[in-house]
Amino acid sequence: MAVAPPRPKSIALTALRAFEAAARLGGFSAAAEELGVNPGAISAHIKALEAELGAPLFQRSPKGVVLTALGAQALPGFRQAFDQMGLAVQQLRDAAAPRVVHIATLPAIAQFWLSPRLPQLRAEMPGTEISITALEQPPNLKRTPYDLCLFYDADQGEILSRDVIFPVCNPAVAAELHGPQDLSRIACLSDTSWQQDWHDWLSGSAAPQNITPRGPVYSLYALAVEEALNGAGVLIGHEALLASHLQSGRLVAPFSQRVTLPRALRLWTMPGRGAASASRQVAEWLMTSGGQDLPDAPKPPKGGQ
């Protein structure tokens, strides 16, 4: 008679993934956001893992969680293991769906920079399927199913365009402006993603420092741009995003002062992608044909400063 003793219970991969994410990111909430679950699920997975091990991995307090000595000792190995798994998954996706490319990008970049380039990209790379997901923050490509990241960033990836900012408005509003000091009597539009825009422009330009911009705040940059087009006020424009509106004259730069921010529009992908993969080919296209700067904005209207 064959002997079939019960096998020891294996540790759940979901629990190990929850531990690695929480340990790497320094908290349950950050891990939950990356893995697309709620913090309670992360906590439950880690409690189950600690119960299985018979030892705590985190010290918990009202201020958050901190790795125990055991947790800190385990983290490097699990980080390396999940890095390798992420690479293996990407390679598997390349082999299974070699002409599908998933791009994660900021909503404003998706609408104003990437979307206008897609027709030419499709024409030059027939058969390639481009999927775009708009996110507020860059995802971790080692842990998420995206192939390319396209965001404003200070150091990651290849630079496609510097982030040059300056006030923009429609021509009718511009005709009422004679210098930056006039901003104190007109609505200064802004959006929640780039709340520092006005501060950055005022600090980096020769504009009077006693100006306090006031005006409506929008949850999407696209809404703020639409209102600027409608004549609702003046908005800080990002040159790479609004190039087509500036070239057409629908938006104009009423003042000459421009500021180049430390960050830039950058593109990056996970190392190890094959040269023949569609993601690598799309990345190279965006960095060459697609990444070329669009024409400069028109000069400020006569009488502007």
Side-chain angles (χ1 to χ4, degrees):
M1 180 176 179
V3 177
R7 298 179 61 183
K9 184 179 178 181
S10 298
I11 295 177
L13 181 60
T14 51
L16 295 176
R17 186 180 291 276
F19 161 71
E20 188 274 341
R24 170 171 44 84
L25 298 173
F28 292 177
S29 295
E33 183 176 353
E34 180 176 279
L35 297 178
V37 297
N38 60 61
I42 298 295
S43 178
H45 281 311
I46 292 175
K47 283 182 179 179
L49 178 58
E50 291 174 326
E52 183 72 19
L53 295 172
L57 296 169
F58 290 92
Q59 294 177 348
R60 296 160 175 84
S61 74
K63 295 183 179 181
V65 296
V66 179
L67 283 169
T68 63
L70 176 63
Q73 177 184 343
L75 175 58
F78 280 105
R79 175 182 285 178
Q80 182 179 11
F82 279 107
D83 283 352
Q84 290 297 317
M85 181 178 292
L87 178 59
V89 169
Q90 293 287 15
Q91 291 172 341
L92 179 61
R93 291 178 62 244
D94 281 346
R99 306 311 302 173
V100 178
V101 180
H102 299 268
I103 302 176
T105 188
L106 198 68
I109 297 173
Q111 180 170 350
F112 293 112
W113 193 93
L114 185 56
S115 179
R117 289 163 167 81
L118 291 180
Q120 183 181 352
L121 174 57
R122 287 194 299 267
E124 295 187 21
M125 299 182 64
T128 298
E129 179 182 328
I130 307 295
S131 174
I132 299 171
T133 301
L135 301 174
E136 292 297 332
Q137 297 295 330
N140 183 340
L141 293 180
K142 296 178 180 179
R143 301 292 185 275
T144 52
Y146 302 108
D147 300 300
L148 301 174
C149 276
L150 183 59
F151 285 85
Y152 281 104
D153 199 90
D155 47 30
Q156 294 189 84
E158 298 291 332
I159 295 176
L160 301 185
S161 179
R162 293 289 178 183
D163 192 12
V164 180
I165 63 172
F166 46 89
V168 298
C169 57
N170 74 11
V173 173
E176 302 175 6
L177 301 174
H178 304 288
Q181 67 275 5
D182 291 335
L183 292 170
S184 60
R185 61 176 178 79
I186 198 164
C188 295
L189 315 180
S190 59
D191 81 301
T192 54
S193 295
W194 289 316
Q195 295 188 54
Q196 287 290 107
D197 274 359
W198 279 106
H199 175 269
D200 291 341
W201 181 76
L202 288 168
S203 300
S205 70
Q209 295 302 302
N210 60 348
I211 299 173
T212 302
R214 294 184 176 88
V217 179
Y218 302 89
S219 62
L220 289 173
Y221 190 65
L223 295 177
V225 171
E226 192 64 28
E227 281 297 86
L229 290 166
N230 292 337
V234 183
L235 172 70
I236 292 295
H238 294 255
E239 185 175 49
L241 302 186
L242 301 186
S244 62
H245 286 314
L246 291 161
Q247 185 181 19
S248 69
R250 296 185 67 203
L251 289 176
V252 297
F255 317 123
S256 61
Q257 294 94 329
R258 300 187 178 203
V259 173
T260 301
L261 300 181
R263 68 191 180 204
L265 179 59
R266 292 173 178 262
L267 177 74
W268 64 94
T269 187
M270 196 164 140
R273 308 305 292 268
S277 68
S279 61
R280 179 77 170 271
Q281 293 172 4
V282 169
E284 291 177 351
W285 188 92
L286 290 173
M287 288 186 288
T288 54
S289 301
Q292 293 174 356
D293 289 336
L294 295 175
D296 292 336
K299 294 180 180 179
K302 189 174 181 180
Q305 298 187 29

